Amino acid sequence: MPRLGETAVVPIDVDGGGGGGGQDRSKSPRHRSHGPGHHGRHGPHHQHRSRPPPPPPPEFRPFRRWFPFLVPLFIAANIVLFVLTMYINDCPAHAEAAGAAIGGSVGESATAQGCWLAPELGRFAFQSFKENPLVGPSSATLLKMGALETSKVTKDHEGWRLITCIWLHAGVVHILANMLSLLLIGIRLEKEFGFMRIGTLYVLSGVGGSLLSALFMVSNISVGASGALFGLLGSMLSELITNWTIYENKFAALLTLVMIIVINLAVGILPHVDNFAHLGGFISGLFLGFVLLMRPQFGYINQKNSPLGFPMGTTKRKFKTYQIILWVIATVILISGFTIGLVLLLKGFNASEHCSWCHYLSCVPTSKWSCKAPNNYCMSSQLGNQLNLTCQSTGKAATYVLNNPNNTEAIKNLCIGLCS
């Protein structure tokens, strides 16, 4: 989106050095050429030496351009944390322990099929596709690393999960998609607005997405930088609106950006995607953009950078009236929204119980898919080493004999296999 401020401005040479209507010295009689061999009336030793042309003036930019380093650091931090998560996950060791606890042919099967690419990756092997189709760690490991679960925040007072879940990802597919988006969007914004504003916007948008997700997706766990990324998209929209006068092709830029946002939000209605985190991040980023990304108007910048003694007319204000109004409204909405959301969350408020249609914002059921989340919960009864399991979602029941009836990891793996 080209801006008016991107055009180079070359100052006028008021001394007649080639601009401003001054006399062209190349056509002056005293500098007229008399042909080869003629050295003027003073001879060859008094020949006139022409001065070299002055260097071109530096390009004028009304806004500072920043070197982007924070967004690459964010990308590196996400990748390092994913590798650390897979190291802690150690799927082969857990699968072997679970198989030994179950024993028999069932235990051998659990050990053999529990991990993907175990021979090649060792302890970095991925969980089976039945447990994690995104090619990543188990949900138990994600919870240990700081994934968002509403009950952990409300009952165990672990509010820090609203922030830590932003830096975790459920699998290779998940982190590749998010980091590519962050690279394309974040670098451009950091170049224009600097690391302080973009870093603040990224983190607060992520928290806003986590907050809305925790209020609506009470029974699920949530990880990922999607809320923060949608916050960057929302801030691009508000930045375009609040800095409307400095853009060329305003309506084309607005239409393009709105289409990108609509398409990305539409993807969120697919099953197993936390679109409430997307919506919360987008709304937070939209209002944060009005607060953090406001530009001064060009008239003020021209007066500030004008030469001394050069008349500039009426003194310009730094910001336009509509910019100040949007800043005040956005600040009030942000403070009120975050405060109310945190209070409701800590009180255990379940927003989905008070909104019968809101679940359609996250998933729309069709003949091709169901919006019911996979429910790997089982009813169990145990008598000695004998374990009876009944999957709540499918109604399947099975009986197992355990070598170690106290191994919860083994029981969990049996439940996942039964429900799958």
Side-chain angles (χ1 to χ4, degrees):
M1 291 177 284
R3 297 184 175 185
L4 300 175
E6 298 294 336
T7 305
V9 179
V10 180
I12 297 174
D13 186 356
V14 297
D15 295 328
Q23 182 181 1
D24 189 351
R25 296 188 178 184
S26 63
K27 297 180 181 180
S28 176
R30 68 178 62 187
H31 294 283
R32 186 178 299 148
S33 173
H34 295 278
H38 183 83
H39 302 291
R41 62 179 180 177
H42 296 293
H45 297 288
H46 298 280
Q47 143 181 0
H48 173 72
R49 296 181 180 180
S50 60
R51 290 177 298 176
E59 184 179 352
F60 172 71
R61 289 185 180 273
F63 305 123
R64 176 180 176 180
R65 300 287 287 181
W66 300 76
F67 177 77
F69 71 92
L70 186 64
V71 169
L73 283 179
F74 281 174
I75 295 174
N78 279 277
I79 295 174
V80 168
L81 280 173
F82 180 74
V83 173
L84 179 61
T85 302
M86 293 306 305
Y87 178 85
I88 295 175
N89 187 64
D90 197 3
C91 181
H94 287 89
E96 184 177 355
I102 297 171
S105 60
V106 177
E108 294 176 0
S109 177
T111 303
Q113 302 179 9
C115 305
W116 185 56
L117 296 179
E120 294 82 6
L121 300 179
R123 70 180 296 154
F124 293 95
F126 306 109
Q127 297 295 129
S128 65
F129 285 105
K130 289 183 179 180
E131 184 174 357
N132 190 343
L134 295 178
V135 190
S138 66
S139 56
T141 302
L142 289 173
L143 279 174
K144 184 187 301 182
M145 294 294 293
L148 177 62
E149 187 178 41
T150 303
S151 61
K152 296 285 187 181
V153 178
T154 57
K155 297 178 181 179
D156 300 335
H157 306 290
E158 297 178 357
W160 45 267
R161 291 181 179 271
L162 294 171
I163 300 177
T164 55
C165 69
I166 305 171
W167 309 95
L168 301 174
H169 288 83
V172 174
V173 177
H174 193 198
I175 191 171
L176 283 179
N178 279 351
M179 294 304 100
L180 179 61
S181 301
L182 179 57
L183 182 66
L184 295 176
I185 301 172
I187 292 290
R188 179 233 176 203
L189 287 174
E190 188 179 354
K191 282 182 178 180
E192 294 193 14
F193 297 99
F195 68 96
M196 284 293 293
R197 284 189 278 185
I198 298 306
T200 302
L201 196 152
Y202 181 88
V203 174
L204 290 182
S205 296
V207 173
S210 301
L211 189 56
L212 195 65
S213 175
L215 290 172
F216 281 94
M217 308 289 284
V218 175
S219 59
N220 295 354
I221 68 170
S222 179
V223 293
S226 301
L229 291 173
F230 271 84
L232 295 182
L233 277 177
S235 70
M236 290 176 67
L237 179 59
S238 56
E239 190 268 332
L240 174 60
I241 295 173
T242 193
N243 301 323
W244 184 256
T245 57
I246 70 174
Y247 277 96
E248 294 177 339
N249 303 322
K250 301 174 176 59
F251 291 100
L254 179 62
L255 180 61
T256 302
L257 185 56
V258 169
M259 288 180 61
I260 293 173
I261 293 170
V262 169
I263 292 173
N264 280 275
L265 288 175
V267 173
I269 65 174
L270 296 175
H272 316 315
V273 178
D274 187 1
N275 208 31
F276 286 109
H278 298 174
L279 291 170
F282 175 78
I283 295 171
S284 301
L286 179 69
F287 291 112
L288 283 167
F290 288 124
V291 176
L292 298 176
L293 307 185
M294 184 168 58
R295 295 282 202 190
Q297 56 178 318
F298 276 141
Y300 170 82
I301 296 176
N302 290 337
Q303 285 184 338
K304 185 178 179 181
N305 296 287
S306 64
L308 294 177
F310 190 79
M312 293 297 295
T314 307
T315 303
K316 298 289 186 180
R317 290 183 301 174
K318 186 173 184 179
F319 300 109
K320 293 182 178 293
T321 303
Y322 80 90
Q323 291 179 300
I324 299 174
I325 293 175
L326 288 173
W327 186 92
V328 172
I329 294 174
T331 302
V332 172
I333 292 176
L334 282 170
I335 295 175
S336 303
F338 273 91
T339 303
I340 295 173
L342 287 172
V343 170
L344 291 177
L345 177 61
L346 295 177
K347 287 186 175 181
F349 181 79
N350 187 349
S352 59
E353 294 179 352
H354 298 79
C355 181
S356 59
W357 57 269
C358 285
H359 62 279
Y360 291 115
L361 295 175
S362 184
C363 182
V364 177
T366 67
S367 58
K368 301 294 183 180
W369 63 71
S370 171
C371 289
K372 293 182 179 180
N375 188 359
N376 293 330
Y377 294 103
C378 298
M379 296 292 295
S380 65
S381 60
Q382 198 166 339
L383 181 61
N385 290 348
Q386 180 175 313
L387 175 68
N388 300 316
L389 289 180
T390 302
C391 180
Q392 290 183 339
S393 59
T394 63
K396 293 181 181 179
T399 301
Y400 307 94
V401 177
L402 303 181
N403 293 337
N404 182 4
N406 296 322
N407 192 315
T408 57
E409 186 75 21
I411 297 174
K412 172 193 166 186
N413 288 340
L414 289 175
C415 178
I416 292 173
L418 185 63
C419 292
S420 301

